[in-house]
Amino acid sequence: MKLIKTILIVFVIISNTPLTAQETGFSDLLQNIDSREKIELNGMWDIIVDPLENGYYNHRLQVKDDGYFKNAKMESPSDLIEYNFDTSLQLMVPGDWNTQMDKLYYYEGTVWYKKDFNYTIDSNELAFLYFEAVNYESIVYLNGERIGSHVGGYTPFQFDVTDKLKEGTNFVVVKVDNKRKKENVPTVNQDWWNYGGITRSVHLVKTPISHIADYSIQLPKGNTKTIEGWVSVKNGKDGDAVNVSIPELKKNVDAVVKNGLAKFSIKAKPVLWEPKNPKTYEVILKTATDKITDHIGFRTIETKGSKILLNGKDIFLKGISIHEEAPFKTGRVVSKEECKILLQWAKELGCNFIRLAHYPHSEAMVREAEKMGFIIWSEIPVYWTIQFENKDTYANAKNQLTEMISRDKNRASVVLWSMANETPEGEARLSFIENLAKQARELDNTRLITAALDTQGYGDDGNLIEDPLGKVVDVIGINNYCGWYAGSTESCSKLKWASAYNKPMIMSEVGGGALYGLHGEKNERWTEEYQAEVYRTNIEMMRNIDFLAGLSPWILMDFRSSRRPLRRIQDDFNRKGLISEQGMKKQAFFILRDYYLNENN
């Protein structure tokens, strides 16, 4: 009988219309590549800086068939080849070019990257070239042949290169272009550094021919006693078995593949993931040819009036916003260790919540945050005034949203998908973001939808939240800089708020700037004392907002921004950090910490 109880019945759901793995709506990305055998392609890459794109176009602006991607070599003394990767400059991957080479500090344009590697062909396996992120547009070539392209600087992409690899030495060339364009997401105007390059790791991932490509495993909405999900099997056949086991829960079930997908439902009572106990379970997925191991937490998230409920209980989100800016050396975050430093600072601040702004951060950041018990707001860079009427711009935003959700859908810590930040009111904008929210809910109906707004009106009761986007989101984010961009610091504590919506509100940005070590009177801008006063008075303001469900002040650490040229103060840094880029804590850090540690526990 005990054995019978342990071996659960699996309910394989068969719809009237066959559902293929691709029809799940998620990106065609390998899930959880850290559980795979892979060859790391990190390290020094040869690079050629190409501002005129001579390596791509000829003098008639036609695409060459013998561009730099061919990695051509001289075969005789008379050959004319005007480039040579083997004697060129080099850059570290992962990394940005701006902080690795002084001459490229402000550079926006094309840089060619080349890497040699060895490969041993195995007829029983497939190989995927997997990029965690390249900013912003990339064209990828293998052994001189174009294999694909990608647009978007913060999400992963891959190519099946099984039939393109050679036994022995191979080379990959990537054309990277970070030029800002009006039609891009984000657009030309942004308040963070446009770091160019192969900014996250590159892998050659190996899989069996028939392999587990993707999976979703979580609690259904509002249910804490059932674990359900699906496993996508590539190159399998109908009737193949997929085994799902959660050893600690003593669950071991078999599901059956139909049209590439195996669905299952398991009765279970897991300990629920929460900030004070970020519990995850080892989950093992197996087929006859493949095996994947992940660590997954289970929790529910919902709203009730102006409250956010985690696992059915009211929780106040004590947060901070974070940019993917590396501590101490600055530049793009490139390592798990740098992620841990930022997260440890947030932990010292008393946070249980982080807003990862303004784009999807690395998978390492999300996974480390989950281990440390942080609730996560994850965002796509629909930022300020993008081209809301442009269909291609929408397709770009939708793809970035899909890739973000595809990668992180199994992370219990991610509870908020953010559609946008500080966008202007208008019909085109409302339709654009409403459609993104619809896409997010179709992909994942278990999480909350949000967006950060800066479009408050003013009514009899003070600041009035009435932006039509409030109807679309589950949780309203508000960016308000009382005492910095508007109003005196003295006015903030008396500022009143009202909302047209019975929904939770997160003060997603609040704060002011200070140069670490600059001291003066509390009314003297750029001093630590001024920033501290901004935080004191804004905390008083937030104490009086009865529909406030949390906050994520701007921002944990100073970060580079080319919008901030004031010498001797900003020096190309947004100085709103509570911590300097060199890790020094400003006075406001301790004011916010005291608020978090002494209230709303």
Side-chain angles (χ1 to χ4, degrees):
M1 288 295 291
K2 289 183 179 179
L3 181 62
I4 293 173
K5 289 180 180 178
T6 301
I7 308 299
L8 300 175
I9 299 172
V10 179
F11 301 95
V12 181
I13 304 168
I14 304 175
S15 63
N16 294 327
T17 303
L19 182 68
T20 66
Q22 288 70 33
E23 288 171 333
T24 62
F26 292 104
S27 295
D28 189 19
L29 282 170
L30 289 169
Q31 182 75 198
N32 186 17
I33 62 168
D34 283 346
S35 187
R36 290 286 181 194
E37 181 185 359
K38 57 185 186 292
I39 299 171
E40 299 291 350
L41 298 183
N42 294 339
M44 299 304 294
W45 287 51
D46 305 318
I47 65 112
I48 297 174
V49 182
D50 189 15
L52 300 182
E53 298 193 297
N54 292 325
Y56 191 69
Y57 297 109
N58 64 20
H59 67 301
R60 305 296 186 198
L61 212 59
Q62 299 165 325
V63 178
K64 292 180 174 180
D65 57 10
D66 62 346
Y68 293 176
F69 49 85
K70 286 295 186 182
N71 189 27
K73 311 293 183 186
M74 291 181 60
E75 295 183 2
S76 70
S78 63
D79 286 346
L80 178 60
I81 299 175
E82 295 183 281
Y83 69 98
N84 186 351
F85 279 110
D86 295 340
T87 58
S88 68
L89 301 169
Q90 291 186 312
L91 288 174
M92 180 65 70
V93 170
D96 61 88
W97 63 58
N98 312 81
T99 58
Q100 291 192 65
M101 198 171 291
D102 289 345
K103 288 184 178 180
L104 299 181
Y105 179 64
Y106 288 112
Y107 179 69
E108 294 184 344
T110 289
V111 173
W112 296 84
Y113 284 74
K114 192 268 294 184
K115 181 77 169 180
D116 296 321
F117 63 95
N118 291 317
Y119 186 74
T120 301
I121 292 176
D122 184 337
S123 60
N124 296 315
E125 68 183 16
L126 303 178
F128 296 86
L129 191 55
Y130 187 103
F131 294 83
E132 293 189 23
V134 178
N135 192 39
Y136 175 78
E137 296 183 16
S138 55
I139 304 176
V140 182
Y141 304 84
L142 182 62
N143 297 325
E145 181 180 349
R146 177 172 171 154
I147 59 171
S149 61
H150 183 262
V151 174
Y154 306 98
T155 48
F157 57 98
Q158 69 185 36
F159 306 103
D160 184 341
V161 293
T162 308
D163 297 332
K164 310 295 183 183
L165 290 164
K166 301 185 298 184
E167 183 73 24
T169 302
N170 295 260
F171 68 90
V172 59
V173 173
V174 186
K175 179 184 182 290
V176 182
D177 186 351
N178 75 329
K179 283 193 299 291
R180 290 167 297 125
K181 298 177 182 177
K182 289 183 178 180
E183 65 270 22
N184 283 354
V185 180
T187 185
V188 292
N189 205 5
Q190 62 188 64
D191 189 16
W192 69 91
W193 205 269
N194 183 26
Y195 289 120
I198 304 178
T199 54
R200 297 183 191 152
S201 293
V202 185
H203 316 272
L204 192 63
V205 184
K206 302 179 182 181
T207 73
I209 293 174
S210 175
H211 62 275
I212 297 166
D214 197 4
Y215 52 88
S216 175
I217 302 170
Q218 57 191 290
L219 299 176
K221 190 173 184 177
N223 186 334
T224 61
K225 298 180 180 179
T226 304
I227 297 171
E228 66 179 25
W230 49 263
V231 180
S232 169
V233 179
K234 197 78 172 286
N235 299 323
K237 61 181 186 297
D238 284 2
D240 284 352
V242 176
N243 180 263
V244 181
S245 64
I246 309 175
E248 190 174 346
L249 291 175
K250 296 182 172 59
K251 304 299 181 183
N252 182 40
V253 301
D254 288 317
V256 178
V257 173
K258 182 174 178 61
N259 296 318
L261 209 66
K263 292 187 174 184
F264 63 90
S265 179
I266 303 171
K267 296 296 183 183
K269 294 182 180 179
V271 173
L272 300 181
W273 184 98
E274 60 175 331
K276 292 181 179 179
N277 181 28
K279 174 66 177 175
T280 60
Y281 291 89
E282 182 184 50
V283 178
I284 304 168
L285 307 177
K286 288 191 293 186
T287 67
T289 58
D290 199 11
K291 178 181 177 182
I292 285 282
T293 300
D294 204 344
H295 288 83
I296 296 176
F298 303 104
R299 54 98 193 99
T300 62
I301 191 75
E302 58 189 322
T303 65
K304 185 177 182 180
S306 62
K307 304 296 184 183
I308 294 175
L309 305 181
L310 178 69
N311 302 325
K313 299 176 182 177
D314 180 17
I315 186 169
F316 188 82
L317 302 183
K318 299 177 286 188
I320 193 70
S321 295
I322 300 177
H323 256 302
E324 199 175 48
E325 184 94 7
F328 305 116
K329 70 178 179 62
T330 71
R332 184 65 68 218
V333 168
V334 297
S335 70
K336 186 183 297 185
E337 290 70 27
E338 289 170 341
C339 295
K340 288 181 177 179
I341 292 170
L342 295 172
L343 293 171
Q344 184 57 45
W345 285 340
K347 186 66 71 175
E348 291 174 26
L349 188 58
C351 295
N352 62 11
F353 167 57
I354 53 175
R355 180 189 179 204
L356 299 181
H358 284 295
Y359 39 78
H361 288 217
S362 69
E363 185 170 2
M365 184 64 155
V366 174
R367 284 182 175 268
E368 290 304 313
E370 181 173 63
K371 292 176 186 176
M372 294 175 67
F374 288 106
I375 291 168
I376 294 174
W377 162 318
S378 188
E379 188 165 286
I380 56 172
V382 175
Y383 182 88
W384 289 355
T385 312
I386 67 169
Q387 292 188 349
F388 293 110
E389 301 86 355
N390 188 322
K391 291 182 180 179
D392 291 337
T393 299
Y394 177 77
N396 183 348
K398 180 181 177 181
N399 185 62
Q400 292 189 50
L401 176 68
T402 302
E403 289 175 340
M404 175 178 71
I405 296 175
S406 297
R407 191 194 69 183
D408 293 335
K409 60 183 174 291
N410 291 307
R411 304 280 68 82
S413 55
V414 179
V415 304
L416 289 157
W417 299 126
S418 175
M419 303 296 102
N421 178 80
E422 295 184 357
T423 51
E425 287 190 40
E427 286 301 318
R429 168 263 207 168
L430 182 61
S431 175
F432 189 105
I433 298 176
E434 191 171 25
N435 286 331
L436 287 177
K438 180 181 178 182
Q439 166 73 1
R441 290 186 172 109
E442 287 176 354
L443 290 174
D444 174 21
N445 70 351
T446 69
R447 290 178 174 87
L448 304 176
I449 302 299
T450 190
L453 314 180
D454 68 343
T455 50
Q456 309 94 48
Y458 192 79
D460 294 338
D461 296 320
N463 277 15
L464 176 62
I465 303 169
E466 56 182 352
D467 188 320
L469 192 54
K471 297 178 182 179
V472 175
V473 299
D474 302 306
V475 176
I476 297 170
I478 292 293
N479 295 355
N480 183 266
Y481 286 93
C482 181
W484 190 254
Y485 291 126
S488 64
T489 54
E490 294 84 0
S491 69
C492 302
S493 59
K494 299 176 183 178
L495 193 62
K496 304 297 183 184
W497 286 82
S499 176
Y501 308 101
N502 183 27
K503 293 182 177 183
M505 186 263 268
I506 293 173
M507 192 67 74
S508 41
E509 290 183 29
V510 64
L515 177 65
Y516 172 78
L518 182 63
H519 296 286
E521 299 299 320
K522 64 181 183 181
N523 64 349
E524 188 177 347
R525 202 174 286 260
W526 300 116
T527 64
E528 289 192 45
E529 286 76 12
Y530 188 100
Q531 185 188 43
E533 187 66 10
V534 167
Y535 270 81
R536 285 191 193 96
T537 57
N538 275 275
I539 286 171
E540 286 300 317
M541 174 191 72
M542 286 183 282
R543 284 192 176 109
N544 297 321
I545 304 174
D546 57 10
F547 50 89
L548 185 71
L551 61 153
S552 55
W554 195 258
I555 187 169
L556 180 66
M557 189 191 82
D558 290 349
F559 62 95
R560 290 186 191 269
S561 171
S562 52
R563 289 176 59 87
R564 310 291 174 170
L566 182 60
R567 293 300 163 193
R568 305 185 189 185
I569 297 290
Q570 292 172 314
D571 293 316
D572 288 340
F573 278 88
N574 186 312
R575 292 295 181 192
K576 295 188 185 71
L578 297 176
I579 303 174
S580 78
E581 72 275 18
Q582 294 303 317
M584 307 304 289
K585 296 180 177 68
K586 305 174 190 177
Q587 290 181 15
F589 177 96
F590 301 100
I591 291 170
L592 183 62
R593 185 187 68 176
D594 289 346
Y595 172 64
Y596 282 161
L597 295 181
N598 296 317
E599 297 184 39
N600 300 305
N601 289 320

